[in-house]
Coordinates of all heavy atoms in Angstrom, one line a residue:
M1 N 79.1 -63.7 -43.2 CA 77.7 -64.0 -43.0 C 77.0 -63.7 -44.3 O 77.3 -62.6 -44.9 CB 77.1 -63.2 -41.9 CG 75.6 -63.2 -41.9 SD 74.9 -61.9 -40.8 CE 74.8 -62.8 -39.3
K2 N 76.1 -64.5 -44.7 CA 75.3 -64.3 -45.9 C 73.8 -64.2 -45.5 O 73.4 -64.8 -44.6 CB 75.5 -65.5 -46.9 CG 76.8 -65.6 -47.5 CD 76.9 -66.8 -48.4 CE 78.3 -67.1 -48.8 NZ 78.5 -68.4 -49.4
F3 N 73.1 -63.4 -46.3 CA 71.7 -63.3 -46.0 C 70.9 -63.0 -47.3 O 71.5 -62.5 -48.3 CB 71.3 -62.3 -44.9 CG 71.9 -60.9 -45.2 CD1 71.1 -60.0 -45.9 CD2 73.1 -60.6 -44.8 CE1 71.6 -58.8 -46.1 CE2 73.6 -59.3 -45.0 CZ 72.9 -58.4 -45.7
L4 N 69.6 -63.4 -47.3 CA 68.7 -63.2 -48.3 C 67.8 -62.0 -47.9 O 67.3 -62.0 -46.8 CB 67.8 -64.4 -48.6 CG 66.7 -64.3 -49.6 CD1 67.2 -64.1 -51.0 CD2 65.8 -65.5 -49.5
S5 N 67.8 -61.0 -48.8 CA 66.9 -59.8 -48.5 C 66.1 -59.4 -49.7 O 66.3 -59.9 -50.8 CB 67.8 -58.6 -48.0 OG 68.7 -58.2 -49.0
T6 N 65.2 -58.5 -49.5 CA 64.4 -57.9 -50.5 C 64.0 -56.5 -50.2 O 64.1 -56.0 -49.1 CB 63.1 -58.8 -50.7 OG1 62.4 -58.3 -51.9 CG2 62.2 -58.7 -49.5
F7 N 63.7 -55.8 -51.3 CA 63.2 -54.4 -51.2 C 62.4 -54.0 -52.4 O 62.6 -54.7 -53.5 CB 64.4 -53.4 -50.9 CG 65.5 -53.5 -51.9 CD1 65.5 -52.9 -53.1 CD2 66.6 -54.4 -51.6 CE1 66.6 -53.0 -54.0 CE2 67.6 -54.6 -52.5 CZ 67.6 -53.9 -53.7
R8 N 61.6 -53.0 -52.3 CA 60.8 -52.6 -53.5 C 61.6 -51.5 -54.3 O 62.3 -50.8 -53.7 CB 59.4 -52.0 -53.0 CG 58.5 -53.1 -52.6 CD 57.1 -52.6 -52.4 NE 56.9 -51.5 -51.4 CZ 56.8 -51.6 -50.1 NH1 56.8 -52.8 -49.6 NH2 56.7 -50.5 -49.4
I9 N 61.3 -51.6 -55.6 CA 61.9 -50.6 -56.5 C 60.8 -50.0 -57.4 O 59.8 -50.6 -57.6 CB 63.0 -51.1 -57.4 CG1 62.5 -52.3 -58.2 CG2 64.2 -51.5 -56.6 CD1 63.5 -52.9 -59.2
T10 N 61.0 -48.7 -57.8 CA 59.9 -48.1 -58.6 C 60.4 -47.7 -60.0 O 59.6 -47.3 -60.9 CB 59.5 -46.8 -57.9 OG1 60.6 -45.9 -57.8 CG2 58.8 -47.1 -56.6
K11 N 61.7 -47.9 -60.3 CA 62.2 -47.5 -61.6 C 62.8 -48.6 -62.4 O 63.6 -48.4 -63.4 CB 63.2 -46.4 -61.5 CG 62.6 -45.1 -60.9 CD 63.7 -44.0 -60.7 CE 63.0 -42.8 -60.1 NZ 64.0 -41.7 -60.0
G12 N 62.5 -49.9 -62.1 CA 62.9 -51.0 -62.8 C 64.3 -51.5 -62.4 O 65.1 -50.8 -61.7
F13 N 64.6 -52.8 -62.8 CA 65.8 -53.4 -62.4 C 67.1 -52.8 -63.0 O 68.1 -52.7 -62.4 CB 65.8 -54.9 -62.8 CG 66.9 -55.7 -62.2 CD1 67.0 -56.0 -60.9 CD2 67.9 -56.2 -63.1 CE1 68.0 -56.8 -60.4 CE2 68.9 -57.0 -62.6 CZ 69.0 -57.2 -61.2
D14 N 67.0 -52.4 -64.3 CA 68.1 -51.8 -65.0 C 68.6 -50.5 -64.3 O 69.8 -50.3 -64.1 CB 67.9 -51.5 -66.4 CG 67.7 -52.8 -67.3 OD1 68.2 -53.9 -66.8 OD2 67.1 -52.7 -68.3
T15 N 67.7 -49.7 -63.8 CA 68.0 -48.5 -63.1 C 68.7 -48.8 -61.8 O 69.7 -48.3 -61.4 CB 66.8 -47.6 -62.9 OG1 66.2 -47.3 -64.1 CG2 67.1 -46.3 -62.1
W16 N 68.1 -49.8 -61.1 CA 68.7 -50.2 -59.8 C 70.1 -50.8 -60.0 O 71.1 -50.5 -59.3 CB 67.8 -51.3 -59.1 CG 68.5 -51.9 -57.9 CD1 68.5 -51.3 -56.7 CD2 69.4 -53.0 -57.9 NE1 69.4 -52.1 -55.8 CE2 69.9 -53.1 -56.5 CE3 69.8 -53.9 -58.8 CZ2 70.8 -54.1 -56.1 CZ3 70.7 -54.9 -58.4 CH2 71.1 -55.0 -57.1
L17 N 70.3 -51.6 -61.1 CA 71.6 -52.2 -61.3 C 72.6 -51.2 -61.7 O 73.8 -51.3 -61.2 CB 71.5 -53.3 -62.4 CG 72.7 -54.1 -62.7 CD1 73.2 -54.8 -61.5 CD2 72.4 -55.0 -63.9
E18 N 72.3 -50.2 -62.4 CA 73.2 -49.1 -62.8 C 73.7 -48.4 -61.5 O 74.8 -48.1 -61.3 CB 72.5 -48.1 -63.7 CG 73.4 -47.0 -64.2 CD 72.7 -46.1 -65.2 OE1 72.0 -46.6 -66.0 OE2 72.9 -44.9 -65.0
M19 N 72.7 -48.1 -60.6 CA 73.0 -47.5 -59.3 C 73.9 -48.4 -58.5 O 74.9 -47.9 -57.9 CB 71.8 -47.1 -58.6 CG 71.9 -46.6 -57.2 SD 72.3 -47.8 -55.8 CE 70.9 -48.9 -56.0
Y20 N 73.6 -49.7 -58.4 CA 74.4 -50.6 -57.6 C 75.8 -50.6 -58.1 O 76.8 -50.6 -57.3 CB 73.8 -52.0 -57.6 CG 74.7 -52.9 -56.9 CD1 74.9 -52.9 -55.6 CD2 75.6 -53.8 -57.7 CE1 75.8 -53.7 -54.9 CE2 76.5 -54.6 -57.0 CZ 76.6 -54.6 -55.6 OH 77.5 -55.3 -55.0
K21 N 76.0 -50.6 -59.4 CA 77.4 -50.7 -60.0 C 78.2 -49.4 -59.6 O 79.4 -49.5 -59.4 CB 77.4 -50.9 -61.5 CG 77.0 -52.3 -61.8 CD 76.9 -52.5 -63.3 CE 76.5 -53.9 -63.7 NZ 76.5 -54.2 -65.1
E22 N 77.5 -48.3 -59.4 CA 78.1 -47.1 -58.9 C 78.6 -47.2 -57.5 O 79.7 -46.7 -57.1 CB 77.2 -45.9 -59.1 CG 77.0 -45.3 -60.5 CD 76.1 -44.1 -60.5 OE1 76.1 -43.3 -59.5 OE2 75.3 -44.0 -61.5
I23 N 77.8 -47.8 -56.6 CA 78.1 -47.8 -55.2 C 78.9 -49.1 -54.8 O 79.4 -49.2 -53.7 CB 76.9 -47.6 -54.3 CG1 75.9 -48.8 -54.4 CG2 76.2 -46.3 -54.6 CD1 74.8 -48.8 -53.4
E24 N 79.0 -50.0 -55.7 CA 79.6 -51.3 -55.4 C 81.0 -51.2 -54.9 O 81.4 -51.8 -53.9 CB 79.6 -52.2 -56.7 CG 80.2 -53.6 -56.4 CD 80.1 -54.5 -57.7 OE1 80.1 -54.0 -58.8 OE2 80.1 -55.7 -57.5
P25 N 81.9 -50.3 -55.5 CA 83.3 -50.2 -54.9 C 83.3 -49.7 -53.4 O 84.0 -50.2 -52.6 CB 83.9 -49.1 -55.8 CG 83.2 -49.2 -57.1 CD 81.8 -49.5 -56.7
S26 N 82.4 -48.8 -53.1 CA 82.3 -48.3 -51.7 C 81.8 -49.4 -50.8 O 82.3 -49.6 -49.7 CB 81.3 -47.2 -51.6 OG 81.8 -46.0 -52.3
L27 N 80.8 -50.2 -51.2 CA 80.3 -51.3 -50.4 C 81.4 -52.4 -50.3 O 81.6 -52.9 -49.2 CB 79.1 -51.9 -51.1 CG 77.9 -51.0 -51.2 CD1 76.7 -51.7 -51.8 CD2 77.5 -50.5 -49.8
N28 N 82.1 -52.7 -51.3 CA 83.2 -53.7 -51.3 C 84.3 -53.3 -50.3 O 84.8 -54.1 -49.5 CB 83.8 -54.0 -52.6 CG 82.8 -54.8 -53.5 OD1 81.9 -55.4 -53.1 ND2 83.1 -54.8 -54.8
E29 N 84.6 -52.0 -50.2 CA 85.6 -51.5 -49.3 C 85.1 -51.8 -47.8 O 86.0 -51.9 -46.9 CB 85.8 -50.0 -49.5 CG 86.7 -49.7 -50.7 CD 86.8 -48.2 -50.9 OE1 86.5 -47.4 -50.0 OE2 87.2 -47.8 -52.0
L30 N 83.8 -51.8 -47.6 CA 83.3 -52.0 -46.3 C 83.0 -53.4 -46.0 O 82.6 -53.8 -44.9 CB 81.9 -51.2 -46.2 CG 82.0 -49.7 -46.2 CD1 80.6 -49.1 -46.4 CD2 82.7 -49.2 -45.0
G31 N 83.3 -54.3 -47.0 CA 83.2 -55.7 -46.7 C 81.8 -56.2 -47.1 O 81.3 -57.3 -46.6
I32 N 81.0 -55.5 -47.9 CA 79.7 -55.9 -48.3 C 79.7 -56.2 -49.8 O 80.2 -55.5 -50.6 CB 78.7 -54.7 -48.1 CG1 78.6 -54.3 -46.7 CG2 77.3 -55.1 -48.7 CD1 77.8 -53.0 -46.4
K33 N 79.3 -57.5 -50.1 CA 79.3 -57.9 -51.5 C 78.0 -58.6 -51.9 O 77.6 -59.5 -51.2 CB 80.4 -58.9 -51.7 CG 80.6 -59.4 -53.1 CD 81.9 -60.2 -53.3 CE 82.0 -60.7 -54.7 NZ 82.5 -59.8 -55.6
V34 N 77.3 -58.1 -52.9 CA 76.1 -58.7 -53.4 C 76.6 -59.9 -54.3 O 77.3 -59.7 -55.3 CB 75.2 -57.7 -54.2 CG1 74.1 -58.5 -54.9 CG2 74.7 -56.7 -53.2
L35 N 76.2 -61.1 -53.9 CA 76.6 -62.3 -54.7 C 75.6 -62.6 -55.8 O 76.0 -63.1 -56.9 CB 76.7 -63.5 -53.7 CG 77.6 -63.4 -52.5 CD1 77.5 -64.6 -51.6 CD2 79.0 -63.2 -53.0
W36 N 74.4 -62.2 -55.6 CA 73.3 -62.5 -56.6 C 72.2 -61.5 -56.4 O 71.9 -61.2 -55.2 CB 72.8 -63.9 -56.5 CG 71.7 -64.2 -57.5 CD1 71.7 -64.6 -58.7 CD2 70.3 -64.0 -57.2 NE1 70.5 -64.7 -59.3 CE2 69.6 -64.4 -58.3 CE3 69.6 -63.6 -56.0 CZ2 68.2 -64.3 -58.4 CZ3 68.2 -63.6 -56.1 CH2 67.5 -64.0 -57.3
A37 N 71.6 -61.0 -57.5 CA 70.4 -60.1 -57.3 C 69.5 -60.5 -58.5 O 70.0 -60.7 -59.6 CB 70.8 -58.7 -57.3
G38 N 68.2 -60.4 -58.3 CA 67.2 -60.7 -59.3 C 65.9 -60.0 -58.9 O 65.8 -59.4 -57.8
T39 N 65.0 -59.9 -59.9 CA 63.8 -59.2 -59.7 C 62.6 -60.1 -60.0 O 62.7 -61.2 -60.6 CB 63.7 -58.0 -60.6 OG1 62.6 -57.2 -60.2 CG2 63.7 -58.3 -62.0
N40 N 61.4 -59.7 -59.5 CA 60.2 -60.4 -59.8 C 59.8 -60.0 -61.3 O 60.5 -59.1 -61.9 CB 59.1 -60.1 -58.8 CG 58.7 -58.6 -58.7 OD1 59.5 -57.7 -59.2 ND2 57.7 -58.3 -58.1
A41 N 58.8 -60.6 -61.8 CA 58.4 -60.4 -63.2 C 58.1 -59.0 -63.6 O 58.4 -58.5 -64.7 CB 57.3 -61.3 -63.6
D42 N 57.5 -58.2 -62.7 CA 57.1 -56.8 -63.0 C 58.1 -55.8 -62.5 O 57.9 -54.6 -62.6 CB 55.7 -56.5 -62.5 CG 55.5 -56.6 -61.0 OD1 56.5 -56.9 -60.3 OD2 54.4 -56.3 -60.6
E43 N 59.3 -56.3 -62.1 CA 60.4 -55.4 -61.7 C 60.0 -54.4 -60.6 O 60.4 -53.2 -60.7 CB 61.0 -54.7 -62.9 CG 61.6 -55.7 -63.9 CD 62.4 -55.1 -65.0 OE1 63.0 -54.0 -64.8 OE2 62.5 -55.7 -66.1
T44 N 59.3 -54.9 -59.6 CA 58.9 -54.0 -58.5 C 59.6 -54.4 -57.2 O 59.5 -53.7 -56.2 CB 57.4 -54.0 -58.3 OG1 56.9 -55.3 -58.1 CG2 56.7 -53.4 -59.5
K45 N 60.2 -55.6 -57.2 CA 61.0 -56.1 -56.1 C 62.3 -56.6 -56.5 O 62.4 -57.3 -57.5 CB 60.2 -57.1 -55.3 CG 59.0 -56.6 -54.5 CD 58.4 -57.7 -53.7 CE 59.0 -57.6 -52.3 NZ 58.3 -58.6 -51.4
V46 N 63.3 -56.4 -55.7 CA 64.6 -57.0 -55.9 C 64.8 -58.0 -54.7 O 64.5 -57.7 -53.6 CB 65.8 -55.9 -55.9 CG1 67.1 -56.6 -55.9 CG2 65.6 -55.0 -57.1
F47 N 65.4 -59.1 -55.1 CA 65.8 -60.1 -54.1 C 67.3 -60.2 -54.3 O 67.8 -60.2 -55.4 CB 65.1 -61.4 -54.3 CG 63.6 -61.4 -54.2 CD1 62.9 -61.1 -55.4 CD2 63.0 -61.6 -53.0 CE1 61.5 -61.0 -55.3 CE2 61.6 -61.5 -52.9 CZ 60.9 -61.2 -54.1
D48 N 68.1 -60.3 -53.2 CA 69.5 -60.5 -53.3 C 70.1 -61.4 -52.2 O 69.5 -61.5 -51.1 CB 70.2 -59.1 -53.3 CG 70.1 -58.3 -52.1 OD1 70.1 -58.9 -51.0 OD2 69.9 -57.1 -52.2
V49 N 71.2 -62.0 -52.5 CA 72.0 -62.7 -51.6 C 73.3 -61.8 -51.4 O 74.0 -61.6 -52.3 CB 72.4 -64.1 -52.1 CG1 73.3 -64.8 -51.1 CG2 71.1 -64.9 -52.3
T50 N 73.5 -61.4 -50.1 CA 74.6 -60.5 -49.8 C 75.5 -61.2 -48.8 O 75.0 -61.9 -47.9 CB 74.0 -59.2 -49.3 OG1 73.2 -58.6 -50.2 CG2 75.1 -58.2 -49.0
E51 N 76.7 -60.9 -48.9 CA 77.7 -61.4 -47.9 C 78.4 -60.2 -47.3 O 78.8 -59.3 -48.0 CB 78.8 -62.3 -48.6 CG 79.7 -62.9 -47.7 CD 80.6 -63.9 -48.4 OE1 81.1 -63.7 -49.6 OE2 80.9 -65.0 -47.8
V52 N 78.5 -60.3 -46.0 CA 79.1 -59.2 -45.2 C 80.2 -59.8 -44.3 O 79.9 -60.8 -43.7 CB 78.1 -58.3 -44.4 CG1 77.2 -57.6 -45.3 CG2 77.3 -59.1 -43.4
E53 N 81.3 -59.1 -44.2 CA 82.3 -59.5 -43.3 C 82.0 -59.2 -41.9 O 82.2 -60.0 -41.0 CB 83.7 -58.8 -43.7 CG 84.2 -59.3 -45.0 CD 85.4 -58.5 -45.4 OE1 86.0 -57.7 -44.6 OE2 85.8 -58.6 -46.6
D54 N 81.4 -58.0 -41.7 CA 80.9 -57.6 -40.3 C 79.5 -57.1 -40.4 O 79.2 -56.1 -41.0 CB 81.8 -56.5 -39.8 CG 81.4 -55.9 -38.5 OD1 80.5 -56.4 -37.9 OD2 82.1 -54.9 -38.1
P55 N 78.5 -57.9 -39.9 CA 77.1 -57.5 -40.0 C 76.8 -56.1 -39.5 O 75.9 -55.5 -40.0 CB 76.4 -58.6 -39.1 CG 77.3 -59.7 -39.1 CD 78.7 -59.2 -39.1
A56 N 77.6 -55.6 -38.6 CA 77.3 -54.2 -38.1 C 77.5 -53.2 -39.2 O 76.9 -52.1 -39.1 CB 78.2 -53.9 -36.9
V57 N 78.3 -53.5 -40.2 CA 78.6 -52.5 -41.2 C 77.4 -52.4 -42.2 O 77.3 -51.4 -42.9 CB 79.9 -53.0 -42.0 CG1 80.1 -52.1 -43.2 CG2 81.1 -52.9 -41.1
F58 N 76.5 -53.4 -42.3 CA 75.4 -53.4 -43.2 C 74.5 -52.2 -43.1 O 73.9 -51.7 -44.0 CB 74.6 -54.7 -43.1 CG 73.6 -54.8 -44.2 CD1 74.0 -55.0 -45.5 CD2 72.2 -54.7 -43.9 CE1 73.0 -55.1 -46.5 CE2 71.3 -54.8 -44.9 CZ 71.7 -55.0 -46.2
G59 N 74.5 -51.6 -41.9 CA 73.7 -50.4 -41.6 C 74.1 -49.2 -42.5 O 73.3 -48.2 -42.6
V60 N 75.2 -49.2 -43.1 CA 75.6 -48.1 -44.0 C 74.6 -47.8 -45.1 O 74.5 -46.7 -45.5 CB 77.0 -48.4 -44.6 CG1 77.0 -49.5 -45.7 CG2 77.6 -47.1 -45.2
L61 N 73.9 -48.9 -45.5 CA 72.9 -48.7 -46.5 C 71.7 -47.7 -46.1 O 71.0 -47.2 -46.9 CB 72.3 -50.0 -47.0 CG 73.2 -51.0 -47.7 CD1 72.6 -52.3 -47.9 CD2 73.8 -50.4 -49.0
T62 N 71.6 -47.6 -44.8 CA 70.5 -46.7 -44.3 C 71.1 -45.5 -43.5 O 70.3 -44.7 -43.0 CB 69.6 -47.5 -43.4 OG1 70.3 -48.0 -42.3 CG2 68.9 -48.6 -44.1
K63 N 72.4 -45.3 -43.5 CA 73.0 -44.2 -42.7 C 73.9 -43.3 -43.5 O 74.0 -42.2 -43.1 CB 73.8 -44.8 -41.5 CG 72.9 -45.5 -40.5 CD 73.7 -46.1 -39.4 CE 72.7 -46.8 -38.5 NZ 73.4 -47.9 -37.7
R64 N 74.5 -43.8 -44.5 CA 75.5 -42.9 -45.3 C 74.7 -42.1 -46.3 O 74.1 -42.7 -47.2 CB 76.5 -43.8 -46.0 CG 77.9 -43.2 -45.8 CD 79.0 -44.1 -46.2 NE 79.3 -43.8 -47.6 CZ 80.3 -44.4 -48.3 NH1 81.0 -45.3 -47.7 NH2 80.5 -44.0 -49.5
E65 N 74.7 -40.8 -46.2 CA 73.9 -39.9 -47.0 C 74.1 -40.1 -48.5 O 73.2 -40.1 -49.3 CB 74.1 -38.5 -46.6 CG 73.6 -38.1 -45.3 CD 72.1 -38.2 -45.1 OE1 71.4 -37.9 -46.1 OE2 71.7 -38.6 -44.0
D66 N 75.4 -40.3 -49.0 CA 75.6 -40.4 -50.4 C 75.0 -41.7 -50.9 O 74.4 -41.7 -52.0 CB 77.2 -40.4 -50.7 CG 78.0 -41.4 -50.0 OD1 77.6 -41.9 -48.9 OD2 79.0 -41.8 -50.5
I67 N 75.1 -42.8 -50.2 CA 74.5 -44.0 -50.6 C 73.0 -44.0 -50.6 O 72.3 -44.4 -51.5 CB 75.1 -45.2 -49.8 CG1 76.6 -45.4 -50.1 CG2 74.3 -46.5 -50.1 CD1 77.3 -46.5 -49.3
I68 N 72.5 -43.4 -49.5 CA 71.0 -43.2 -49.4 C 70.5 -42.5 -50.6 O 69.5 -42.9 -51.2 CB 70.6 -42.5 -48.1 CG1 70.9 -43.4 -46.9 CG2 69.2 -42.1 -48.1 CD1 70.8 -42.7 -45.6
K69 N 71.1 -41.3 -51.0 CA 70.6 -40.5 -52.1 C 70.6 -41.3 -53.4 O 69.7 -41.2 -54.1 CB 71.5 -39.2 -52.2 CG 71.0 -38.4 -53.4 CD 71.7 -37.0 -53.4 CE 71.3 -36.1 -54.5 NZ 70.3 -36.5 -55.4
K70 N 71.7 -42.0 -53.6 CA 71.8 -42.8 -54.9 C 70.7 -43.8 -54.9 O 70.1 -44.1 -56.0 CB 73.2 -43.4 -55.1 CG 74.2 -42.3 -55.4 CD 75.6 -42.9 -55.6 CE 76.5 -41.8 -55.9 NZ 77.9 -42.2 -56.2
R71 N 70.5 -44.5 -53.8 CA 69.5 -45.5 -53.8 C 68.1 -45.0 -54.0 O 67.3 -45.5 -54.8 CB 69.5 -46.3 -52.5 CG 70.8 -47.1 -52.3 CD 70.8 -47.9 -51.0 NE 70.0 -49.1 -51.2 CZ 69.3 -49.6 -50.2 NH1 69.3 -49.1 -49.0 NH2 68.6 -50.7 -50.4
V72 N 67.8 -43.9 -53.3 CA 66.4 -43.2 -53.5 C 66.3 -42.7 -54.9 O 65.2 -42.9 -55.5 CB 66.3 -42.1 -52.4 CG1 65.1 -41.2 -52.8 CG2 66.2 -42.6 -51.0
D73 N 67.3 -42.1 -55.5 CA 67.2 -41.6 -56.8 C 67.0 -42.7 -57.8 O 66.4 -42.5 -58.9 CB 68.5 -40.8 -57.2 CG 68.6 -39.5 -56.5 OD1 67.6 -39.0 -55.8 OD2 69.7 -38.8 -56.5
A74 N 67.4 -43.9 -57.5 CA 67.3 -45.1 -58.4 C 65.9 -45.8 -58.2 O 65.6 -46.8 -58.8 CB 68.4 -46.0 -58.2
G75 N 65.1 -45.2 -57.3 CA 63.8 -45.8 -57.1 C 63.7 -46.9 -56.0 O 62.7 -47.6 -55.9
V76 N 64.7 -46.9 -55.1 CA 64.6 -47.9 -54.0 C 63.7 -47.4 -52.9 O 63.9 -46.2 -52.5 CB 66.0 -48.2 -53.4 CG1 65.9 -49.1 -52.2 CG2 66.9 -48.9 -54.5
D77 N 62.7 -48.1 -52.5 CA 61.9 -47.8 -51.3 C 62.7 -48.3 -50.1 O 62.6 -49.5 -49.7 CB 60.5 -48.5 -51.4 CG 59.6 -48.3 -50.2 OD1 60.1 -47.6 -49.2 OD2 58.5 -48.7 -50.3
L78 N 63.4 -47.4 -49.4 CA 64.2 -47.7 -48.3 C 63.5 -48.4 -47.2 O 64.0 -49.3 -46.5 CB 65.0 -46.5 -47.8 CG 65.9 -45.8 -48.8 CD1 66.5 -44.6 -48.1 CD2 67.0 -46.8 -49.3
E79 N 62.3 -48.0 -46.9 CA 61.5 -48.5 -45.8 C 61.0 -50.0 -46.1 O 60.6 -50.7 -45.2 CB 60.3 -47.6 -45.5 CG 60.8 -46.3 -45.0 CD 59.6 -45.4 -44.6 OE1 58.4 -45.9 -44.6 OE2 59.8 -44.2 -44.4
S80 N 61.1 -50.4 -47.3 CA 60.7 -51.8 -47.6 C 61.8 -52.8 -47.5 O 61.6 -54.0 -47.6 CB 60.2 -51.8 -49.1 OG 61.2 -51.7 -50.0
Q81 N 63.0 -52.3 -47.2 CA 64.2 -53.3 -47.0 C 63.9 -54.3 -46.0 O 63.5 -53.9 -44.8 CB 65.4 -52.5 -46.7 CG 66.7 -53.3 -46.5 CD 67.5 -53.3 -47.8 OE1 67.5 -52.4 -48.5 NE2 68.3 -54.4 -47.9
E82 N 64.0 -55.6 -46.3 CA 63.7 -56.6 -45.3 C 64.7 -57.8 -45.5 O 65.0 -58.2 -46.6 CB 62.3 -57.2 -45.6 CG 62.0 -58.4 -44.8 CD 60.7 -59.0 -45.2 OE1 60.0 -58.5 -46.2 OE2 60.3 -60.0 -44.6
V83 N 65.4 -58.1 -44.4 CA 66.2 -59.3 -44.4 C 65.2 -60.5 -44.2 O 64.6 -60.6 -43.2 CB 67.3 -59.3 -43.3 CG1 68.0 -60.6 -43.2 CG2 68.2 -58.2 -43.6
I84 N 65.2 -61.4 -45.2 CA 64.3 -62.5 -45.1 C 64.8 -63.6 -44.2 O 64.1 -64.2 -43.4 CB 64.0 -63.1 -46.5 CG1 63.3 -62.0 -47.4 CG2 63.2 -64.3 -46.5 CD1 63.2 -62.3 -48.9
E85 N 66.1 -63.9 -44.4 CA 66.7 -64.9 -43.6 C 68.2 -64.9 -43.7 O 68.8 -64.5 -44.7 CB 66.2 -66.3 -44.1 CG 66.6 -67.5 -43.2 CD 65.9 -67.5 -41.9 OE1 64.6 -67.5 -41.9 OE2 66.6 -67.4 -40.9
T86 N 68.9 -65.3 -42.7 CA 70.4 -65.5 -42.8 C 70.6 -66.9 -43.3 O 69.8 -67.7 -43.2 CB 71.1 -65.4 -41.4 OG1 70.1 -65.5 -40.4 CG2 71.9 -64.2 -41.2
I87 N 71.7 -67.0 -44.1 CA 72.0 -68.3 -44.8 C 73.1 -69.0 -44.0 O 74.2 -68.4 -43.8 CB 72.4 -68.0 -46.2 CG1 71.2 -67.3 -46.9 CG2 72.8 -69.3 -46.9 CD1 71.5 -66.8 -48.3
G88 N 72.8 -70.2 -43.5 CA 73.8 -70.9 -42.8 C 74.7 -71.7 -43.7 O 75.9 -71.6 -43.6
K89 N 74.1 -72.6 -44.5 CA 74.8 -73.4 -45.5 C 74.3 -73.1 -46.9 O 73.1 -72.8 -47.0 CB 74.7 -74.9 -45.2 CG 75.3 -75.3 -43.9 CD 75.1 -76.8 -43.7 CE 75.8 -77.2 -42.4 NZ 75.6 -78.7 -42.2
D90 N 75.1 -73.2 -47.9 CA 74.6 -73.0 -49.2 C 75.4 -73.8 -50.2 O 76.4 -74.4 -49.9 CB 74.7 -71.5 -49.6 CG 76.1 -70.9 -49.5 OD1 77.0 -71.6 -49.2 OD2 76.2 -69.7 -49.9
Y91 N 74.9 -73.9 -51.4 CA 75.5 -74.6 -52.5 C 75.3 -73.8 -53.8 O 74.2 -73.4 -54.0 CB 74.9 -76.0 -52.7 CG 75.3 -76.7 -54.0 CD1 76.5 -77.3 -54.1 CD2 74.4 -76.7 -55.1 CE1 76.9 -77.9 -55.3 CE2 74.8 -77.3 -56.2 CZ 76.0 -77.9 -56.3 OH 76.4 -78.5 -57.5
W92 N 76.4 -73.6 -54.5 CA 76.3 -72.8 -55.8 C 76.8 -73.8 -56.9 O 77.9 -74.3 -56.8 CB 77.2 -71.6 -55.8 CG 76.8 -70.6 -54.7 CD1 77.2 -70.6 -53.4 CD2 75.9 -69.5 -54.9 NE1 76.5 -69.5 -52.8 CE2 75.8 -68.8 -53.7 CE3 75.3 -69.0 -56.0 CZ2 75.0 -67.7 -53.5 CZ3 74.5 -67.8 -55.9 CH2 74.4 -67.2 -54.6
A93 N 75.9 -74.0 -57.8 CA 76.3 -75.0 -58.9 C 77.1 -74.3 -60.0 O 77.1 -73.1 -60.2 CB 75.0 -75.5 -59.5

């Protein structure tokens, strides 16, 4: 399953990306893979396309203390996390 989501950040995209690269191996082990991520012009929101093998596992982003701490320390506003839409069909050029 793929979905488009967004969340607010307070420390810029580079800080978020550095944190993501730290937690990426743990997420990949759980079957969570960010396919694309980008930010708005003032780097206060991240938008991403994420693929998960098991949607029930996605809750780890809000339940696992080590991941929560890294996200908060990187400026992620956890309460702003929003799944905009699930993606049924897609095309990547």
Side-chain angles (χ1 to χ4, degrees):
M1 168 193 268
K2 293 178 190 163
F3 56 90
L4 174 65
S5 65
T6 188
F7 50 89
R8 287 190 304 272
I9 55 173
T10 61
K11 297 182 180 180
F13 188 72
D14 291 339
T15 301
W16 174 83
L17 185 57
E18 183 179 319
M19 174 279 306
Y20 174 73
K21 288 179 180 180
E22 284 182 36
I23 68 170
E24 184 177 26
S26 296
L27 297 179
N28 288 344
E29 286 175 14
L30 295 167
I32 300 171
K33 182 171 178 81
V34 172
L35 303 175
W36 175 87
T39 186
N40 60 347
D42 63 359
E43 296 188 30
T44 58
K45 286 186 96 171
V46 172
F47 299 88
D48 63 40
V49 175
T50 302
E51 184 172 40
V52 295
E53 293 173 11
D54 177 2
V57 175
F58 188 68
V60 72
L61 294 175
T62 59
K63 294 179 183 154
R64 226 173 93 178
E65 292 296 324
D66 60 330
I67 292 176
I68 291 170
K69 180 172 179 6
K70 287 180 181 181
R71 293 181 79 214
V72 168
D73 290 349
V76 174
D77 176 355
L78 299 178
E79 293 181 12
S80 70
Q81 181 98 26
E82 173 188 1
V83 173
I84 297 170
E85 191 68 63
T86 14
I87 298 170
K89 293 182 179 179
D90 59 358
Y91 169 76
W92 297 86

